[in-house]
Amino acid sequence: MVFDQLRDGYDVVVVGGGAAGLSGALPLVRSRRSVAVIDAGAPRNAPAEGVHGLLGREGTPPQELVERGRAEVRGYGGHVVRGEVASAARDGDGFRVVLADGRAVRARRLLVATGLADELPDLPGLRARWGRDVLHCPYCHGWEVRDQAIGVLATGPMAVHQALMFRQLSEDVVFFAHTAGEPAAEQAEELAARGIRVVAGEAAAVETAGDRLTGVRLADGTVVARDALAVAPRMAARAKFLSDLGLFPVEHPSGVGEHIPAEPTGRTPVPGVWVAGNATDLMAQVAPAAAAGLSAGAQINGDLVAEETRRAVAARRERASSGEAERRRGR
Ligand SMILES: Cc1cc2nc3c(=O)[nH]c(=O)nc-3n(C[C@H](O)[C@H](O)[C@H](O)COP(=O)(O)OP(=O)(O)OC[C@H]3O[C@@H](n4cnc5c(N)ncnc54)[C@H](O)[C@@H]3O)c2cc1C
């Protein structure tokens, strides 16, 4: 992939070039806006083999999807720039965006589409299997582990729900109480009714053999054989670079992590800054992240059209009143 050189200024700088950012750029470049998508190149689903639940592109490798999106944005004259944004600050009626390598660029509007970081349970062996046979989302990878021996590592309030979801895909599901502790009576009854065995005690490690997960080792040394392990990472919006703008991530009401709050259109409380995708909607899969980006991009174009129209009307009135003054002087 060839990346573009960053110019001095753009109508819109999109920070993050995953599903949300690239989709956000499309309506803008197609509206003849100058756009730079600045992307650090680490989409959240990078470890996965394919993107599932995506109509028309089912199973496409994540990298291929991003490459296609970049080519589409560039096809309309948009710039796709490799880099990491370190800060963004108000600069007159726009913004100054500074990259970690020192480059800087001006933008009239910002679209934040930086996604989120999955904070995985700190269990030896687990991180290396993330996105392969350590999973979080039944819709993303559930079909791929159907009928397998699945474990659910309980670390928070969503664990029982997650176990019941994976039970739809396999009759062999084990619930590891781990740090969440044993489920309350009502939840224990639900798990028992669905044939999900509860294993008490903390897990100590994920067991692997070659390139696959083989089980979960408990603190007492017992190994419970499993083919796949579901976890629920805490999700944290990638948003540190927004602090100079007074935009900070806040705890999501569901308790699953922190996000940048925004209106349904993606408009944030900071004028001129929109957000789309996982950075604001922690649960969004690829299709909803792309849809949110598209909608935010269209909103930004509408906002620029409104600003340009206000300016044109003001200039027209100014011309009209100075023409009137000329005429009066000429009388
Ligand atoms: C293992 C795994 C598998 C998944 N599988 C599926 C699936 O099968 N189907 C599905 O629909 N969803 C799946 N998802 C969810 C999917 O990854 C998200 O829905 C999607 O990535 C959200 O898109 P996004 O554009 O908001 O964020 P991302 O795709 O994460 O893109 C954000 C981009 O911004 C960049 N970035 C971050 N900070 C900066 C910065 N400061 N400066 C510049 N760039 C920056 C990142 O490097 C990244 O390229 C999966 C998630 C995981 C973790």
Side-chain angles (χ1 to χ4, degrees):
M1 164 82 201
V2 179
F3 289 98
D4 299 296
Q5 295 291 321
L6 199 59
R7 280 205 327 240
D8 289 346
Y10 294 87
D11 289 325
V12 184
V13 164
V14 180
V15 188
L22 291 167
S23 294
L26 267 184
L28 289 161
V29 288
R30 283 177 51 79
S31 301
R32 315 185 76 181
R33 297 293 176 190
S34 61
V35 176
V37 179
I38 304 176
D39 184 40
R44 184 183 167 214
N45 55 354
E49 228 174 279
V51 179
H52 296 289
L54 188 60
L55 190 67
R57 290 275 168 222
E58 178 60 24
T60 306
Q63 191 56 33
E64 184 184 323
L65 194 70
V66 167
E67 293 287 352
R68 280 173 177 270
R70 288 173 180 165
E72 285 163 2
V73 168
R74 295 182 80 207
Y76 294 106
H79 285 180
V80 178
V81 176
R82 173 53 59 87
E84 186 184 343
V85 170
S87 68
R90 180 76 59 193
D91 181 18
D93 57 359
F95 302 93
R96 184 167 188 267
V97 174
V98 179
L99 279 68
D101 60 14
R103 285 176 292 169
V105 59
R106 256 191 63 84
R108 295 170 66 196
R109 300 289 184 275
L110 285 185
L111 174 55
V112 176
T114 44
L116 63 80
D118 290 289
E119 296 171 357
L120 296 172
D122 187 16
L123 207 61
L126 185 143
R127 180 169 292 278
R129 304 305 312 159
W130 173 237
R132 296 179 167 86
D133 33 29
V134 171
L135 322 160
H136 72 303
C137 160
Y139 301 110
C140 304
H141 347 248
W143 173 265
E144 284 63 39
V145 298
R146 68 195 181 283
D147 292 331
Q148 293 187 12
I150 301 172
V152 174
L153 189 73
T155 51
M158 298 305 287
V160 170
H161 172 70
Q162 201 176 29
L164 294 171
M165 298 297 281
F166 275 97
R167 174 63 183 77
Q168 170 63 19
L169 297 153
S170 170
E171 290 183 358
D172 182 1
V173 176
V174 167
F175 183 91
F176 292 96
H178 190 49
T179 53
E182 297 211 26
E186 193 182 330
Q187 294 187 319
E189 188 182 19
E190 288 175 354
L191 295 173
R194 296 295 279 136
I196 299 170
R197 182 162 68 94
V198 175
V199 171
E202 283 203 23
V206 164
E207 296 281 304
T208 55
D211 191 28
R212 66 185 189 92
L213 181 147
T214 55
V216 172
R217 180 154 42 87
L218 303 175
D220 67 5
T222 317
V223 174
V224 181
R226 296 286 89 189
D227 302 315
L229 184 66
V231 299
R234 189 181 142 75
M235 297 181 275
R238 296 176 179 131
K240 281 203 185 81
F241 68 98
L242 293 169
S243 57
D244 290 349
L245 290 169
L247 205 50
F248 300 95
V250 302
E251 199 61 30
H252 193 272
S254 65
V256 297
E258 53 183 40
H259 73 137
I260 306 168
E263 294 175 13
T265 57
R267 190 189 285 268
T268 72
V270 176
V273 181
W274 272 258
V275 61
N278 275 166
T280 181
D281 181 356
L282 300 175
M283 305 304 281
Q285 290 184 256
V286 167
L294 184 81
S295 165
Q299 292 283 329
I300 292 172
N301 182 52
D303 192 52
L304 288 169
V305 166
E307 177 186 292
E308 287 150 4
T309 306
R310 276 193 306 276
R311 285 192 179 154
V313 167
R316 186 172 187 271
R317 286 180 183 165
E318 173 66 28
R319 278 196 308 275
S321 67
S322 53
E324 180 64 19
E326 289 280 307
R327 272 195 298 281
R328 284 210 183 114
R329 269 198 298 278
R331 260 195 228 135

PDB file of all heavy atoms in Angstrom, residues 226-253:
ATOM      1  N   ARG A 226     -10.346 -27.606  26.801  1.00  0.00           N
ATOM      2  CA  ARG A 226     -11.260 -26.750  26.020  1.00  0.00           C
ATOM      3  C   ARG A 226     -10.645 -26.498  24.646  1.00  0.00           C
ATOM      4  O   ARG A 226      -9.418 -26.511  24.497  1.00  0.00           O
ATOM      5  CB  ARG A 226     -11.485 -25.380  26.689  1.00  0.00           C
ATOM      6  CG  ARG A 226     -12.179 -25.365  28.045  1.00  0.00           C
ATOM      7  CD  ARG A 226     -13.671 -25.648  27.970  1.00  0.00           C
ATOM      8  NE  ARG A 226     -13.952 -27.058  28.067  1.00  0.00           N
ATOM      9  CZ  ARG A 226     -15.148 -27.608  27.863  1.00  0.00           C
ATOM     10  NH1 ARG A 226     -16.176 -26.873  27.562  1.00  0.00           N
ATOM     11  NH2 ARG A 226     -15.319 -28.908  27.956  1.00  0.00           N
ATOM     12  N   ASP A 227     -11.485 -26.242  23.650  1.00  0.00           N
ATOM     13  CA  ASP A 227     -11.001 -25.884  22.305  1.00  0.00           C
ATOM     14  C   ASP A 227     -10.976 -24.367  22.112  1.00  0.00           C
ATOM     15  O   ASP A 227     -10.240 -23.852  21.265  1.00  0.00           O
ATOM     16  CB  ASP A 227     -11.934 -26.457  21.229  1.00  0.00           C
ATOM     17  CG  ASP A 227     -12.046 -27.967  21.328  1.00  0.00           C
ATOM     18  OD1 ASP A 227     -11.002 -28.620  21.494  1.00  0.00           O
ATOM     19  OD2 ASP A 227     -13.179 -28.488  21.238  1.00  0.00           O
ATOM     20  N   ALA A 228     -11.848 -23.674  22.837  1.00  0.00           N
ATOM     21  CA  ALA A 228     -11.957 -22.211  22.672  1.00  0.00           C
ATOM     22  C   ALA A 228     -12.349 -21.608  24.016  1.00  0.00           C
ATOM     23  O   ALA A 228     -12.976 -22.275  24.849  1.00  0.00           O
ATOM     24  CB  ALA A 228     -13.020 -21.881  21.628  1.00  0.00           C
ATOM     25  N   LEU A 229     -11.978 -20.352  24.211  1.00  0.00           N
ATOM     26  CA  LEU A 229     -12.283 -19.671  25.472  1.00  0.00           C
ATOM     27  C   LEU A 229     -12.880 -18.303  25.172  1.00  0.00           C
ATOM     28  O   LEU A 229     -12.277 -17.498  24.453  1.00  0.00           O
ATOM     29  CB  LEU A 229     -11.001 -19.512  26.298  1.00  0.00           C
ATOM     30  CG  LEU A 229     -11.173 -18.908  27.695  1.00  0.00           C
ATOM     31  CD1 LEU A 229     -11.993 -19.849  28.599  1.00  0.00           C
ATOM     32  CD2 LEU A 229      -9.821 -18.621  28.331  1.00  0.00           C
ATOM     33  N   ALA A 230     -14.079 -18.061  25.718  1.00  0.00           N
ATOM     34  CA  ALA A 230     -14.699 -16.735  25.550  1.00  0.00           C
ATOM     35  C   ALA A 230     -14.333 -15.851  26.740  1.00  0.00           C
ATOM     36  O   ALA A 230     -14.372 -16.303  27.883  1.00  0.00           O
ATOM     37  CB  ALA A 230     -16.215 -16.888  25.453  1.00  0.00           C
ATOM     38  N   VAL A 231     -13.960 -14.612  26.446  1.00  0.00           N
ATOM     39  CA  VAL A 231     -13.630 -13.638  27.497  1.00  0.00           C
ATOM     40  C   VAL A 231     -14.397 -12.351  27.197  1.00  0.00           C
ATOM     41  O   VAL A 231     -14.899 -12.158  26.087  1.00  0.00           O
ATOM     42  CB  VAL A 231     -12.108 -13.332  27.546  1.00  0.00           C
ATOM     43  CG1 VAL A 231     -11.308 -14.581  27.852  1.00  0.00           C
ATOM     44  CG2 VAL A 231     -11.633 -12.717  26.228  1.00  0.00           C
ATOM     45  N   ALA A 232     -14.481 -11.474  28.190  1.00  0.00           N
ATOM     46  CA  ALA A 232     -15.132 -10.175  27.971  1.00  0.00           C
ATOM     47  C   ALA A 232     -14.140  -9.086  28.367  1.00  0.00           C
ATOM     48  O   ALA A 232     -14.077  -8.696  29.532  1.00  0.00           O
ATOM     49  CB  ALA A 232     -16.412 -10.075  28.806  1.00  0.00           C
ATOM     50  N   PRO A 233     -13.329  -8.637  27.406  1.00  0.00           N
ATOM     51  CA  PRO A 233     -12.338  -7.609  27.760  1.00  0.00           C
ATOM     52  C   PRO A 233     -13.029  -6.316  28.186  1.00  0.00           C
ATOM     53  O   PRO A 233     -14.140  -6.028  27.728  1.00  0.00           O
ATOM     54  CB  PRO A 233     -11.574  -7.367  26.462  1.00  0.00           C
ATOM     55  CG  PRO A 233     -12.151  -8.269  25.439  1.00  0.00           C
ATOM     56  CD  PRO A 233     -13.385  -8.892  25.975  1.00  0.00           C
ATOM     57  N   ARG A 234     -12.360  -5.550  29.047  1.00  0.00           N
ATOM     58  CA  ARG A 234     -12.837  -4.186  29.281  1.00  0.00           C
ATOM     59  C   ARG A 234     -12.456  -3.385  28.037  1.00  0.00           C
ATOM     60  O   ARG A 234     -11.359  -3.575  27.483  1.00  0.00           O
ATOM     61  CB  ARG A 234     -12.166  -3.609  30.534  1.00  0.00           C
ATOM     62  CG  ARG A 234     -12.748  -2.298  30.977  1.00  0.00           C
ATOM     63  CD  ARG A 234     -12.023  -1.770  32.207  1.00  0.00           C
ATOM     64  NE  ARG A 234     -11.882  -0.325  32.105  1.00  0.00           N
ATOM     65  CZ  ARG A 234     -12.872   0.533  32.301  1.00  0.00           C
ATOM     66  NH1 ARG A 234     -14.068   0.103  32.633  1.00  0.00           N
ATOM     67  NH2 ARG A 234     -12.681   1.834  32.157  1.00  0.00           N
ATOM     68  N   MET A 235     -13.363  -2.520  27.584  1.00  0.00           N
ATOM     69  CA  MET A 235     -13.119  -1.816  26.321  1.00  0.00           C
ATOM     70  C   MET A 235     -12.892  -0.319  26.592  1.00  0.00           C
ATOM     71  O   MET A 235     -13.714   0.300  27.270  1.00  0.00           O
ATOM     72  CB  MET A 235     -14.322  -2.027  25.399  1.00  0.00           C
ATOM     73  CG  MET A 235     -14.500  -3.499  25.054  1.00  0.00           C
ATOM     74  SD  MET A 235     -15.877  -3.831  23.957  1.00  0.00           S
ATOM     75  CE  MET A 235     -17.214  -3.957  25.106  1.00  0.00           C
ATOM     76  N   ALA A 236     -11.803   0.206  26.077  1.00  0.00           N
ATOM     77  CA  ALA A 236     -11.455   1.607  26.364  1.00  0.00           C
ATOM     78  C   ALA A 236     -11.226   2.360  25.058  1.00  0.00           C
ATOM     79  O   ALA A 236     -10.327   2.007  24.275  1.00  0.00           O
ATOM     80  CB  ALA A 236     -10.207   1.663  27.227  1.00  0.00           C
ATOM     81  N   ALA A 237     -12.037   3.394  24.830  1.00  0.00           N
ATOM     82  CA  ALA A 237     -11.890   4.215  23.620  1.00  0.00           C
ATOM     83  C   ALA A 237     -10.471   4.770  23.540  1.00  0.00           C
ATOM     84  O   ALA A 237      -9.904   5.176  24.554  1.00  0.00           O
ATOM     85  CB  ALA A 237     -12.891   5.365  23.659  1.00  0.00           C
ATOM     86  N   ARG A 238      -9.914   4.766  22.311  1.00  0.00           N
ATOM     87  CA  ARG A 238      -8.577   5.344  22.131  1.00  0.00           C
ATOM     88  C   ARG A 238      -8.763   6.848  21.937  1.00  0.00           C
ATOM     89  O   ARG A 238      -9.111   7.292  20.833  1.00  0.00           O
ATOM     90  CB  ARG A 238      -7.909   4.741  20.906  1.00  0.00           C
ATOM     91  CG  ARG A 238      -7.634   3.250  21.009  1.00  0.00           C
ATOM     92  CD  ARG A 238      -7.066   2.811  19.688  1.00  0.00           C
ATOM     93  NE  ARG A 238      -6.733   1.403  19.629  1.00  0.00           N
ATOM     94  CZ  ARG A 238      -7.115   0.611  18.628  1.00  0.00           C
ATOM     95  NH1 ARG A 238      -7.841   1.084  17.633  1.00  0.00           N
ATOM     96  NH2 ARG A 238      -6.740  -0.643  18.610  1.00  0.00           N
ATOM     97  N   ALA A 239      -8.537   7.600  23.017  1.00  0.00           N
ATOM     98  CA  ALA A 239      -8.952   9.007  22.959  1.00  0.00           C
ATOM     99  C   ALA A 239      -8.020   9.965  23.681  1.00  0.00           C
ATOM    100  O   ALA A 239      -8.360  11.137  23.840  1.00  0.00           O
ATOM    101  CB  ALA A 239     -10.358   9.111  23.556  1.00  0.00           C
ATOM    102  N   LYS A 240      -6.840   9.486  24.094  1.00  0.00           N
ATOM    103  CA  LYS A 240      -5.947  10.354  24.901  1.00  0.00           C
ATOM    104  C   LYS A 240      -5.630  11.660  24.181  1.00  0.00           C
ATOM    105  O   LYS A 240      -5.524  12.711  24.802  1.00  0.00           O
ATOM    106  CB  LYS A 240      -4.637   9.614  25.195  1.00  0.00           C
ATOM    107  CG  LYS A 240      -4.737   8.599  26.306  1.00  0.00           C
ATOM    108  CD  LYS A 240      -3.358   8.323  26.908  1.00  0.00           C
ATOM    109  CE  LYS A 240      -3.435   7.223  27.938  1.00  0.00           C
ATOM    110  NZ  LYS A 240      -3.428   5.881  27.308  1.00  0.00           N
ATOM    111  N   PHE A 241      -5.494  11.582  22.851  1.00  0.00           N
ATOM    112  CA  PHE A 241      -5.042  12.741  22.075  1.00  0.00           C
ATOM    113  C   PHE A 241      -6.079  13.867  22.040  1.00  0.00           C
ATOM    114  O   PHE A 241      -5.806  14.951  21.541  1.00  0.00           O
ATOM    115  CB  PHE A 241      -4.687  12.317  20.646  1.00  0.00           C
ATOM    116  CG  PHE A 241      -5.878  11.876  19.834  1.00  0.00           C
ATOM    117  CD1 PHE A 241      -6.491  12.756  18.948  1.00  0.00           C
ATOM    118  CD2 PHE A 241      -6.391  10.609  19.969  1.00  0.00           C
ATOM    119  CE1 PHE A 241      -7.588  12.370  18.210  1.00  0.00           C
ATOM    120  CE2 PHE A 241      -7.502  10.202  19.236  1.00  0.00           C
ATOM    121  CZ  PHE A 241      -8.101  11.082  18.360  1.00  0.00           C
ATOM    122  N   LEU A 242      -7.281  13.623  22.579  1.00  0.00           N
ATOM    123  CA  LEU A 242      -8.351  14.633  22.531  1.00  0.00           C
ATOM    124  C   LEU A 242      -8.393  15.524  23.770  1.00  0.00           C
ATOM    125  O   LEU A 242      -9.234  16.417  23.859  1.00  0.00           O
ATOM    126  CB  LEU A 242      -9.705  13.928  22.383  1.00  0.00           C
ATOM    127  CG  LEU A 242      -9.927  13.210  21.056  1.00  0.00           C
ATOM    128  CD1 LEU A 242     -11.165  12.335  21.134  1.00  0.00           C
ATOM    129  CD2 LEU A 242     -10.056  14.222  19.921  1.00  0.00           C
ATOM    130  N   SER A 243      -7.501  15.286  24.737  1.00  0.00           N
ATOM    131  CA  SER A 243      -7.642  15.969  26.033  1.00  0.00           C
ATOM    132  C   SER A 243      -7.496  17.493  25.908  1.00  0.00           C
ATOM    133  O   SER A 243      -8.170  18.241  26.619  1.00  0.00           O
ATOM    134  CB  SER A 243      -6.665  15.403  27.054  1.00  0.00           C
ATOM    135  OG  SER A 243      -5.359  15.521  26.561  1.00  0.00           O
ATOM    136  N   ASP A 244      -6.647  17.981  24.975  1.00  0.00           N
ATOM    137  CA  ASP A 244      -6.494  19.442  24.829  1.00  0.00           C
ATOM    138  C   ASP A 244      -7.784  20.097  24.350  1.00  0.00           C
ATOM    139  O   ASP A 244      -7.971  21.306  24.494  1.00  0.00           O
ATOM    140  CB  ASP A 244      -5.378  19.785  23.825  1.00  0.00           C
ATOM    141  CG  ASP A 244      -4.003  19.456  24.379  1.00  0.00           C
ATOM    142  OD1 ASP A 244      -3.920  19.170  25.584  1.00  0.00           O
ATOM    143  OD2 ASP A 244      -3.029  19.477  23.597  1.00  0.00           O
ATOM    144  N   LEU A 245      -8.655  19.303  23.747  1.00  0.00           N
ATOM    145  CA  LEU A 245      -9.956  19.827  23.282  1.00  0.00           C
ATOM    146  C   LEU A 245     -11.013  19.727  24.375  1.00  0.00           C
ATOM    147  O   LEU A 245     -12.177  20.096  24.167  1.00  0.00           O
ATOM    148  CB  LEU A 245     -10.427  19.050  22.047  1.00  0.00           C
ATOM    149  CG  LEU A 245      -9.631  19.287  20.765  1.00  0.00           C
ATOM    150  CD1 LEU A 245     -10.025  18.278  19.694  1.00  0.00           C
ATOM    151  CD2 LEU A 245      -9.844  20.718  20.266  1.00  0.00           C
ATOM    152  N   GLY A 246     -10.622  19.193  25.525  1.00  0.00           N
ATOM    153  CA  GLY A 246     -11.581  19.036  26.624  1.00  0.00           C
ATOM    154  C   GLY A 246     -12.528  17.862  26.396  1.00  0.00           C
ATOM    155  O   GLY A 246     -13.617  17.806  26.970  1.00  0.00           O
ATOM    156  N   LEU A 247     -12.097  16.915  25.555  1.00  0.00           N
ATOM    157  CA  LEU A 247     -12.939  15.750  25.265  1.00  0.00           C
ATOM    158  C   LEU A 247     -12.289  14.525  25.914  1.00  0.00           C
ATOM    159  O   LEU A 247     -11.177  14.145  25.558  1.00  0.00           O
ATOM    160  CB  LEU A 247     -13.026  15.575  23.748  1.00  0.00           C
ATOM    161  CG  LEU A 247     -14.230  14.856  23.152  1.00  0.00           C
ATOM    162  CD1 LEU A 247     -15.534  15.413  23.678  1.00  0.00           C
ATOM    163  CD2 LEU A 247     -14.190  14.964  21.630  1.00  0.00           C
ATOM    164  N   PHE A 248     -13.013  13.966  26.876  1.00  0.00           N
ATOM    165  CA  PHE A 248     -12.453  12.830  27.622  1.00  0.00           C
ATOM    166  C   PHE A 248     -13.421  11.652  27.579  1.00  0.00           C
ATOM    167  O   PHE A 248     -14.634  11.845  27.619  1.00  0.00           O
ATOM    168  CB  PHE A 248     -12.233  13.215  29.095  1.00  0.00           C
ATOM    169  CG  PHE A 248     -11.286  14.355  29.271  1.00  0.00           C
ATOM    170  CD1 PHE A 248     -11.757  15.660  29.389  1.00  0.00           C
ATOM    171  CD2 PHE A 248      -9.917  14.131  29.297  1.00  0.00           C
ATOM    172  CE1 PHE A 248     -10.888  16.723  29.541  1.00  0.00           C
ATOM    173  CE2 PHE A 248      -9.037  15.195  29.454  1.00  0.00           C
ATOM    174  CZ  PHE A 248      -9.515  16.500  29.564  1.00  0.00           C
ATOM    175  N   PRO A 249     -12.887  10.430  27.529  1.00  0.00           N
ATOM    176  CA  PRO A 249     -13.783   9.273  27.603  1.00  0.00           C
ATOM    177  C   PRO A 249     -14.426   9.174  28.983  1.00  0.00           C
ATOM    178  O   PRO A 249     -13.810   9.553  29.977  1.00  0.00           O
ATOM    179  CB  PRO A 249     -12.862   8.081  27.340  1.00  0.00           C
ATOM    180  CG  PRO A 249     -11.482   8.573  27.406  1.00  0.00           C
ATOM    181  CD  PRO A 249     -11.471  10.051  27.385  1.00  0.00           C
ATOM    182  N   VAL A 250     -15.657   8.699  28.994  1.00  0.00           N
ATOM    183  CA  VAL A 250     -16.362   8.509  30.271  1.00  0.00           C
ATOM    184  C   VAL A 250     -16.832   7.060  30.352  1.00  0.00           C
ATOM    185  O   VAL A 250     -16.937   6.364  29.340  1.00  0.00           O
ATOM    186  CB  VAL A 250     -17.582   9.460  30.419  1.00  0.00           C
ATOM    187  CG1 VAL A 250     -17.169  10.912  30.320  1.00  0.00           C
ATOM    188  CG2 VAL A 250     -18.646   9.145  29.375  1.00  0.00           C
ATOM    189  N   GLU A 251     -17.135   6.634  31.565  1.00  0.00           N
ATOM    190  CA  GLU A 251     -17.597   5.263  31.798  1.00  0.00           C
ATOM    191  C   GLU A 251     -18.902   5.031  31.038  1.00  0.00           C
ATOM    192  O   GLU A 251     -19.816   5.863  31.095  1.00  0.00           O
ATOM    193  CB  GLU A 251     -17.802   5.078  33.304  1.00  0.00           C
ATOM    194  CG  GLU A 251     -17.828   3.655  33.771  1.00  0.00           C
ATOM    195  CD  GLU A 251     -16.535   2.870  33.505  1.00  0.00           C
ATOM    196  OE1 GLU A 251     -15.441   3.458  33.475  1.00  0.00           O
ATOM    197  OE2 GLU A 251     -16.666   1.650  33.293  1.00  0.00           O
ATOM    198  N   HIS A 252     -18.977   3.917  30.301  1.00  0.00           N
ATOM    199  CA  HIS A 252     -20.214   3.586  29.582  1.00  0.00           C
ATOM    200  C   HIS A 252     -21.249   3.082  30.590  1.00  0.00           C
ATOM    201  O   HIS A 252     -20.898   2.335  31.503  1.00  0.00           O
ATOM    202  CB  HIS A 252     -19.920   2.508  28.538  1.00  0.00           C
ATOM    203  CG  HIS A 252     -21.017   2.310  27.545  1.00  0.00           C
ATOM    204  ND1 HIS A 252     -22.056   1.446  27.763  1.00  0.00           N
ATOM    205  CD2 HIS A 252     -21.247   2.893  26.341  1.00  0.00           C
ATOM    206  CE1 HIS A 252     -22.880   1.487  26.725  1.00  0.00           C
ATOM    207  NE2 HIS A 252     -22.410   2.363  25.846  1.00  0.00           N
ATOM    208  N   PRO A 253     -22.533   3.486  30.431  1.00  0.00           N
ATOM    209  CA  PRO A 253     -23.539   3.083  31.420  1.00  0.00           C
ATOM    210  C   PRO A 253     -23.654   1.566  31.610  1.00  0.00           C
ATOM    211  O   PRO A 253     -24.028   1.099  32.676  1.00  0.00           O
ATOM    212  CB  PRO A 253     -24.853   3.629  30.839  1.00  0.00           C
ATOM    213  CG  PRO A 253     -24.476   4.605  29.785  1.00  0.00           C
ATOM    214  CD  PRO A 253     -23.065   4.347  29.380  1.00  0.00           C
TER     215      PRO A 253
END
